[in-house]
């Protein structure tokens, strides 16, 4: 399965994040496979897991949550075209080249949870088993260095 998370921005830019391992941990901490040093992202925020049944995202006990199609989730199976968001980031899930076309501005708007709903205690959606426990990366993997362009983000966070 060829999996790419495509970051979409409000101004129409896209940035690809290929998922090349069976388990990819995303977060602020330096031991994460994908490091996103931004406010709103927990040290070990979430993980994307490829298994025999497809693609799964697990929240790793993050403070601000992991969202799929504007619903806060603990664990959820992902499909092509799903919108995943955490912090101020929105990603479109592309599996085996689908969806072929992406309108980044619309996906960004449709992917962010409604701020009023985000302030209320979220309804947690769970599918595909219990959420995986937090705990760093696989011992046989190395940190995936992904270059996020954070210059246009309005998050203000002191350096780690």
């Amino acid at each position: 399965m060829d999996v790419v998370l495509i970051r979409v921005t409000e101004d129409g830019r896209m940035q690809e994040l290929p998922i090349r391992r069976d388990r990819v941990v995303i977060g602020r901490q330096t031991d994460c496979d994908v490091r996103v040093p931004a406010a709103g992202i927990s040290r070990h925020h979430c993980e994307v897991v490829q298994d025999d049944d497809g693609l799964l995202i697990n929240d790793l006990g993050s403070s601000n949550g992991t969202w799929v199609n504007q619903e806060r989730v603990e664990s959820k199976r992902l499909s092509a075209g799903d919108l995943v968001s955490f912090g101020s980031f929105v990603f479109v899930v592309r599996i085996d080249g689908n969806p072929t076309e992406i309108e980044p501005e619309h996906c960004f708007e449709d992917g962010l949870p409604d701020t009023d709903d985000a302030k209320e205690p979220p309804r947690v959606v769970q599918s595909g088993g219990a959420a995986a426990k937090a705990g760093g990366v696989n011992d046989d993997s190395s940190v995936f260095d992904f270059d996020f362009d954070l210059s246009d983000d309005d998050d203000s966070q002191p350096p780690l």
Side-chain angles (χ1 to χ4, degrees):
M1 175 173 17
D2 180 37
V3 177
V4 179
L5 298 181
I6 301 172
R7 180 183 177 208
V8 292
T9 63
E10 189 172 20
D11 63 0
R13 290 183 291 155
M14 295 189 296
Q15 192 174 19
E16 292 189 359
L17 170 60
I19 303 297
R20 295 195 174 114
R21 287 189 238 138
D22 290 340
R23 179 176 183 252
V24 174
V25 176
I26 302 170
R28 264 190 4 243
Q29 195 71 19
T30 57
D31 67 345
C32 290
D33 298 301
V34 178
R35 186 167 181 256
V36 183
I41 307 297
S42 293
R43 289 179 182 95
H44 295 106
H45 196 96
C46 63
E47 68 178 355
V48 176
V49 178
Q50 293 186 57
D51 60 20
D52 293 338
D53 295 325
L55 193 63
L56 180 69
I57 191 163
N58 296 309
D59 185 81
L60 297 176
S62 67
S63 299
N64 294 317
T66 300
W67 301 76
V68 177
N69 301 323
Q70 295 188 340
E71 288 187 274
R72 189 167 181 169
V73 300
E74 282 185 20
S75 181
K76 182 160 178 68
R77 288 275 165 205
L78 295 175
S79 301
D82 279 346
L83 300 174
V84 174
S85 64
F86 41 84
S88 61
F89 296 88
V90 176
F91 295 86
V92 178
V93 177
R94 179 176 278 165
I95 300 175
D96 296 330
N98 292 310
T100 56
E101 293 186 27
I102 295 172
E103 295 181 31
E105 299 96 339
H106 291 101
C107 290
F108 181 82
E109 183 178 316
D110 292 345
L112 284 179
D114 183 18
T115 54
D116 292 335
D117 291 343
K119 291 177 185 172
E120 297 174 12
R123 185 183 75 122
V124 175
V125 177
Q126 193 169 322
S127 69
K133 63 178 183 173
V137 298
N138 293 335
D139 291 336
D140 61 341
S141 66
S142 59
V143 173
F144 181 69
D145 186 19
F146 188 71
D147 183 25
F148 280 101
D149 177 11
L150 301 173
S151 60
D152 64 337
D153 291 340
D154 59 359
D155 294 334
S156 58
Q157 175 177 332
L160 297 177

